[in-house]
Amino acid sequence: MPMAMAQNVLAPAKIPNLPALGGTENQDLSPLMERKLGEEIMRDIRRDRDYLDDAPILEYMNNFGNALVDARPGARGEAKYDYFFFVVRDPQLNAFALPGGFIAVHSALLLQAQNESELASVLGHEIGHVVQRHIARSIGQQKQDALIPLAAMILAALASRQGGDAAMGVFLGGQGLAIQRQLNFGREAEREADRIGFQIMGEAGFDTSGMVAFFQQMQNSTRNYSDLVPAWLLTHPLTSERIADIQARIREQPYKQRVDSLDFYLVRSRARVLQDQTANGYNETRQFFQAQLQQDSWQQKAAGQYGMAFLSMKQGDFTAAQTWLEKAQETVNRPPPTGVFGASPRSKAEAIFTATSIEIKLAQTENQPVLAKAVLEADAAHQKFPLSRGIAHQYGEALLAAGKLEEAAVYLRDQAQLYRDDIEVYDILARVYSKQGKLALQHIALAESYFLQGGTLSALDQLGYARKAPDASFYDQSLIDAREREWQARRREELGDKGKKDMAEARPAFKAELKSGKDDKDNSNNPYASPFDRLRKLTDPMQPGPTVR
């Protein structure tokens, strides 16, 4: 099954709202099952080295993405999806939607977007796929076509690079008609996502011309292979066709200017540092920031200074990191030049600056006076930004690093009660208990973390260790018993899940996408192989694939 219809945003403007589709596809993949599939995939993705588990980036993406979702009434569907937006490290311009409202953006795409309207065009398109339940409808189409394997479609696309005869040979292998029907469905899904994305952009107050600007960039990046694939083989409309469609619609719309937030520029600086963390990569990143410092735009200059601060911290130069961070804040707080009237108020990005200041202090693990300052700063920041999960985690880390173990344990237990699905809280809490020598509680906290990550068997193992710990109290034993019963019942339910049984023929393709590494021979038995390696093969300009546009 396609991991999702990905990226290539752009769409029509004033059109009637498309209906929320239900019917037979709900029987094939209900909204609840769709969410379960998405959560299972995300457990694998979060373990991958290319998943950017960076708090400021995640918070920005989710604040930005969910603002787009809220602009579209009914976008959360009957299941009331909690959308989750994240970034994966990848050099290709792409994005993709997983079942259940999980939407990914490649880091290269985030860096290539020149403004928030361009980024909104990508996310709006992916939200459109979720709103129209294209994955559920795709599975319904597959069942009507006797569950044609996705691998056959991929093979046809790859064969097309060798010439029309090779591709046609695949289609004449007894499955051509069914495959063509699925390719046609993909093209229509892209058109629907375009329409929804265009509407979302306008309703959220973004400049819809950003769609065309970014689509043209994507056209240039895919020119190497898109012209080699016959039009009838593409799962999405030709890029030139979609650009023309959007340009025609935009001409009917009034121009709308939107000032980008400073957070956008700072998050791109973080992503640039995290994109390539080799010595050569850092050198190229430094050169980019130095060039950015010479620009006249205060946002670009502040982003360059902030990037230098984050890069210096990553390289262990904490003095330089703090100096550059202060320079960036001075640039932001500096009043506009004399004679400039009517300038809009500057966004301050206070949460990101504060989190980075704490981050620099926490990185100095041997400097106790600095760690003590980190505790005070994190405490104040947590009070000022109570909804920031990244800052909440930093406060727990600061208490642990400063040796305030009992205070940290109390705080983290409260956080675990408020946010029961927060894996990071349980991980930090387990480290606190380890420092305190509380073995039973340490294993219980680890069990909670493993279970939330989908490792039910590992979680049960941790409960076994906790049961045997010499300091396990009667209350601990009772909690262990309750958790064991609950998780064993959950595992039996998963193994006997009727929905998974019904999809038994479709799931191998899903697993192949998530489990296969770059070398299938070496990774066939490795459950932690990169879930993006297979996806990269589909999006590689030299290996065109039919699903991820």
Side-chain angles (χ1 to χ4, degrees), residues 33 36 39-40 43 451 454-457 486-501 507:
M33 179 58 68
K36 281 186 175 181
E39 289 172 347
E40 184 174 332
R43 292 184 187 115
F451 178 75
T456 306
L457 286 178
E486 177 186 347
W487 294 349
Q488 286 171 352
R490 178 72 65 86
R491 179 158 177 76
R492 287 193 296 269
E493 178 186 347
E494 290 172 352
L495 293 175
D497 191 353
K498 182 179 183 300
K500 291 189 177 182
K501 183 178 179 181
R507 290 302 302 282

Side-chain angles (χ1 to χ4, degrees), residues 295-366:
Q295 298 190 30
D296 294 331
S297 166
W298 70 271
Q299 290 174 315
Q300 293 287 354
K301 183 170 295 186
Q305 293 166 332
Y306 177 83
M308 291 293 289
F310 189 54
L311 177 61
S312 298
M313 188 203 73
K314 285 293 185 181
Q315 294 181 313
D317 190 346
F318 305 117
T319 301
Q322 188 62 43
T323 300
W324 280 113
L325 187 65
E326 291 171 359
K327 287 182 178 180
Q329 290 176 298
E330 289 174 4
T331 299
V332 172
N333 295 325
R334 186 179 302 130
T338 304
V340 176
F341 299 102
S344 58
R346 293 183 175 182
S347 61
K348 302 294 185 180
E350 293 181 83
I352 292 182
F353 277 123
T354 301
T356 307
S357 177
I358 298 170
E359 189 176 11
I360 293 171
K361 292 178 175 63
L362 289 177
Q364 304 175 55
T365 55
E366 303 300 323

Side-chain angles (χ1 to χ4, degrees), residues 21 45 222 270 288 369 380 387 432 495:
L21 298 175
I45 288 179
T222 59
R270 291 184 73 93
F288 178 89
L387 298 181
V432 171
L495 293 175

Side-chain angles (χ1 to χ4, degrees), residues 34-50:
E34 201 172 348
R35 183 69 179 188
K36 281 186 175 181
L37 287 174
E39 289 172 347
E40 184 174 332
I41 298 169
M42 283 304 302
R43 292 184 187 115
D44 288 326
I45 288 179
R46 285 190 174 100
R47 289 199 298 261
D48 189 84
R49 66 184 182 277
D50 288 333

